[in-house]
Amino acid sequence: MAAAPVRQRSGPGGPRAQLPPCYYEGYLEKRGPKEKASRRLWTCLCGNTLYFFNNAKDIHYVEKLDLGGFVSLKDDCGRDRNLEAARLILRMKDGETKLTAPNLESRELWKGFLYSVIDLNVPSCLTLLPGQLQMLREVVDKERSRRRTRTPTRAPPSPLSVPLVGEIPPCFRPVSRTEAEVLLERHPDCGNMLLRPGRDGCSLAVTTRQDLNGSVFRHYRVTQRDQGGYVIDVENPIPCATLHEVIDALVEKTAGTLQPFLLEEPYEENITYVSANDENGERILHTAPSSPLPKAPALPPKQGTLFHT
């Protein structure tokens, strides 16, 4: 299973030269969320975007798919008219795109390249040869370097410039609108409503997710009042004394349908440390003993101390 050769098909100033570096390419059948039939398109993974061309010689792409809104990638075990074909379901925040590779080996390699540019790590769950894993490591290094050196198209969102009143609810997450949607999509069992900074840096927002033939996201602005407290900016504004009351009000207004997003992140259960072997210098991970530390012996009283009765 060899990677498709990456070739530049236009001159130094051509359209292909304006795209990010191409890591992998080949024919895929693609069917987007609003498409009724699949189309066979030459597909190029350039940076963290898939570009689709009508054929391998075209220099102008007809579609592109930014992987920044990635949610999940899984095999589609449905049967295809071509018995050797292998299907994939690429789930994004705005819908599913179905991709069909020529065979199982090709699908596995596409998954490897996609995961590498999305997670910036070589996936360990795929069946790939050593040479293919080395290609993925090189792609990860190139993509990390590209992201560090590229000129940002816009300034990153500024942090909140107003002090928050009272205790911050545990469903607050310092994420963007898109990141909030992805979090709620990936962890539906952890709640469907979170509080986050607003885009302007001077307000807050509540993002919610519900299911109605697919994900339905809503975003509500929460502003701080001059006289203290907050207000949920809807048609009939809802004043709240604290951010906890903001969340409670939305839970109450929806009869408990909306629930705060509480993602339980794992913590270590044991203390570990790394030390070098004195004989061969090999570094080993150790687990510290879990038994309670012995109490230090009590110091004897200093000589010459007088005790009065």
Side-chain angles (χ1 to χ4, degrees):
M1 176 173 52
V6 176
R7 303 180 296 274
Q8 197 73 15
R9 295 182 181 79
S10 59
R16 283 287 184 103
Q18 309 304 318
L19 300 181
C22 184
Y23 300 135
Y24 192 60
E25 58 184 355
Y27 275 112
L28 289 176
E29 291 187 20
K30 170 191 172 290
R31 189 175 75 180
K34 299 179 181 179
E35 296 174 322
K36 295 182 179 180
S38 297
R39 291 182 296 158
R40 186 171 182 263
L41 299 170
W42 185 260
T43 308
C44 299
L45 176 61
C46 302
N48 63 335
T49 301
L50 287 172
Y51 291 87
F52 300 96
F53 300 80
N54 283 322
N55 58 63
K57 296 182 179 180
D58 277 2
I59 60 174
H60 297 280
Y61 64 87
V62 293
E63 291 182 41
K64 70 176 182 176
L65 180 61
D66 187 348
L67 299 173
F70 173 81
V71 175
S72 65
L73 179 65
K74 64 179 181 179
D75 296 343
D76 182 355
C77 299
R79 295 180 65 85
D80 191 89
R81 63 182 182 276
N82 178 1
L83 297 180
E84 293 185 357
R87 294 178 173 179
L88 272 174
I89 297 177
L90 177 59
R91 192 175 186 187
M92 311 294 289
K93 67 180 185 63
D94 54 357
E96 290 183 352
T97 295
K98 295 187 176 181
L99 304 171
T100 303
N103 50 57
L104 292 173
E105 291 180 302
S106 176
R107 180 177 69 180
E108 199 77 353
L109 198 49
W110 271 109
K111 286 161 59 179
F113 278 95
L114 289 170
Y115 277 127
S116 294
V117 299
I118 291 169
D119 297 332
L120 292 181
N121 278 302
V122 176
S124 58
C125 58
L126 303 178
T127 306
L128 297 173
L129 299 173
Q132 294 160 348
L133 292 173
Q134 179 59 33
M135 284 194 301
L136 298 186
R137 283 190 284 269
E138 293 173 0
V139 165
V140 170
D141 291 340
K142 291 177 182 177
E143 181 63 9
R144 284 177 175 169
S145 176
R146 184 186 76 88
R147 295 190 193 183
R148 283 196 302 266
T149 58
R150 67 180 177 177
T151 303
T153 55
R154 63 175 183 175
S158 58
L160 284 172
S161 59
V162 293
L164 300 180
V165 176
E167 190 176 340
I168 301 176
C171 64
F172 176 82
R173 312 288 293 192
V175 296
S176 67
R177 172 185 285 232
T178 300
E179 291 168 337
E181 293 180 356
V182 172
L183 265 179
L184 294 175
E185 183 95 47
R186 286 183 177 175
H187 306 281
D189 297 333
C190 296
N192 57 3
M193 169 177 59
L194 62 78
L195 182 68
R196 61 176 178 81
R199 287 182 175 178
D200 57 7
C202 298
S203 63
L204 293 152
V206 172
T207 295
T208 67
R209 174 191 174 272
Q210 298 181 75
D211 284 313
L212 184 64
N213 299 322
S215 295
V216 177
F217 295 102
R218 293 291 182 265
H219 306 272
Y220 304 96
R221 184 189 298 273
V222 178
T223 56
Q224 190 170 345
R225 298 189 298 177
D226 293 337
Q227 62 271 36
Y230 300 88
V231 61
I232 305 173
D233 287 335
V234 289
E235 185 176 2
N236 294 315
I238 305 172
C240 303
T242 65
L243 291 174
H244 278 280
E245 287 191 17
V246 169
I247 301 302
D248 292 342
L250 291 168
V251 172
E252 181 181 345
K253 292 286 184 182
T254 60
T257 301
L258 296 180
Q259 289 294 320
F261 180 80
L262 303 174
L263 180 61
E264 295 185 3
E265 300 182 32
Y267 291 90
E268 299 296 332
E269 295 183 354
N270 296 293
I271 298 173
T272 59
Y273 62 97
V274 176
S275 66
N277 187 298
D278 293 335
E279 296 181 359
N280 57 21
E282 182 182 359
R283 297 181 68 80
I284 305 173
L285 182 67
H286 299 274
T287 300
S290 57
S291 56
L293 295 174
K295 292 184 178 180
L299 296 175
K302 293 181 179 181
Q303 294 183 357
T305 304
L306 298 177
F307 295 91
H308 299 280
T309 58

